[in-house]
């Protein structure tokens, strides 16, 4: 029974982490290195994450500076940024790339909040699916004679508490992300 609960908790942690990664890619009005996590740069013939070919810093709230370790890759970084879904305008001065993060329009903010809510809902659905799988495993163990009815009841109660905890964490992270997006 403990192994089922442990397995469910591990899977819920992974779902929460995946949702946080998705949140990191949702743009806010503030500059963040996490915005560029999904950007891949063509580096010696293979797509490489931007963070592995350059230093990404945010010296100001609305400015990102990308400094490649190899100056020869500067053009490829610029191409990758222009192709990305971030809709940013990189300024290449031959040494570093500067990106001004423009303030978001009210309409764009609302779209981003919808996207964040959708991402959070996917996280909640994943957690509920994990709960269902764990409860099914408990019932299967009972059918095989490994657990008593009381054990199954206790196990489903524990898994429900776990589910409630993770749903609450998802809701808290969504609230924080919403505030970040709506912040001017």
């Amino acid at each position: 029974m403990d192994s089922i609960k442990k397995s469910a908790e591990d899977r819920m942690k992974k779902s929460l982490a995946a949702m946080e990664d998705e949140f990191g890619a949702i743009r806010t009005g503030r500059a963040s290195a996490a915005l560029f996590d999904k950007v891949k740069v063509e580096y010696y013939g293979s797509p490489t994450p931007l963070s592995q070919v350059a230093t990404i810093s945010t010296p100001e709230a609305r400015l990102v500076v990308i400094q490649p370790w190899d100056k020869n890759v500067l053009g490829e970084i610029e191409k990758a940024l222009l192709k990305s879904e971030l809709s940013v305008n990189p300024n290449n001065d031959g040494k570093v790339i500067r990106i001004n993060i423009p303030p978001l329009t009210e309409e764009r903010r609302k779209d981003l909040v919808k996207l964040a809510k959708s991402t959070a809902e996917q996280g909640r659905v994943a957690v509920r699916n994990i709960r269902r799988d764990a409860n099914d495993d408990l019932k299967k163990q009972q059918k095989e004679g490994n657990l008593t009815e009381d054990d199954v009841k206790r196990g489903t109660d524990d898994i429900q508490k776990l589910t409630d905890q993770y749903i609450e964490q998802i809701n808290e992270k969504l609230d924080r992300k919403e505030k970040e997006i709506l912040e001017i």
Side-chain angles (χ1 to χ4, degrees):
M1 185 171 78
D2 285 341
S3 66
I4 293 171
K5 183 180 171 190
K6 178 85 176 104
S7 168
E9 186 169 13
D10 289 345
R11 289 176 58 203
M12 286 180 188
K13 277 182 188 166
K14 288 177 185 166
S15 293
L16 187 66
M19 188 201 72
E20 286 177 311
D21 286 347
E22 289 294 316
F23 273 0
I26 296 175
R27 199 181 130 194
T28 61
R30 174 175 289 153
S32 162
L35 285 173
F36 303 95
D37 285 350
K38 290 188 165 60
V39 176
K40 301 266 194 257
V41 177
E42 199 63 34
Y43 188 60
Y44 291 106
S46 65
T48 309
L50 178 58
S51 60
Q52 291 181 13
V53 295
T55 304
I56 304 168
S57 60
T58 52
E60 296 171 24
R62 296 199 185 281
L63 178 69
V64 176
V65 176
I66 300 172
Q67 184 164 20
W69 298 315
D70 177 359
K71 300 283 185 251
N72 299 329
V73 80
L74 205 58
E76 289 297 329
I77 292 173
E78 193 171 10
K79 274 188 223 166
L81 290 169
L82 290 169
K83 280 195 284 186
S84 74
E85 305 153 6
L86 295 172
S87 34
V88 292
N89 191 14
N91 296 324
N92 180 347
D93 71 2
K95 293 179 184 164
V96 297
I97 293 177
R98 288 183 177 78
I99 300 169
N100 286 313
I101 305 293
L104 298 169
T105 64
E106 192 60 35
E107 188 178 322
R108 184 69 179 131
R109 287 177 197 277
K110 287 177 182 169
D111 289 346
L112 291 172
V113 167
K114 280 182 195 168
L115 179 61
K117 285 181 178 179
S118 166
T119 302
E121 184 55 32
Q122 289 170 2
R124 287 190 286 264
V125 167
V127 168
R128 289 185 197 115
N129 287 340
I130 294 165
R131 173 189 61 193
R132 185 198 59 226
D133 293 347
N135 287 341
D136 289 349
D137 288 347
L138 287 170
K139 288 174 188 153
K140 193 169 131 191
Q141 290 287 326
Q142 183 186 11
K143 275 186 183 166
E144 292 172 1
N146 300 335
L147 295 175
T148 65
E149 202 173 309
D150 288 346
D151 289 339
V152 172
K153 175 75 175 118
R154 208 171 313 114
T156 53
D157 288 348
D158 287 350
I159 288 167
Q160 184 58 49
K161 285 178 190 161
L162 205 57
T163 302
D164 292 343
Q165 274 181 316
Y166 278 90
I167 297 282
E168 182 60 34
Q169 285 182 40
I170 288 171
N171 292 337
E172 287 170 8
K173 290 180 187 311
L174 172 62
D175 288 345
R176 267 200 302 271
K177 190 65 178 182
E178 246 182 284
K179 283 184 185 120
E180 240 180 75
I181 292 169
L182 295 173
E183 193 177 274
I184 296 175

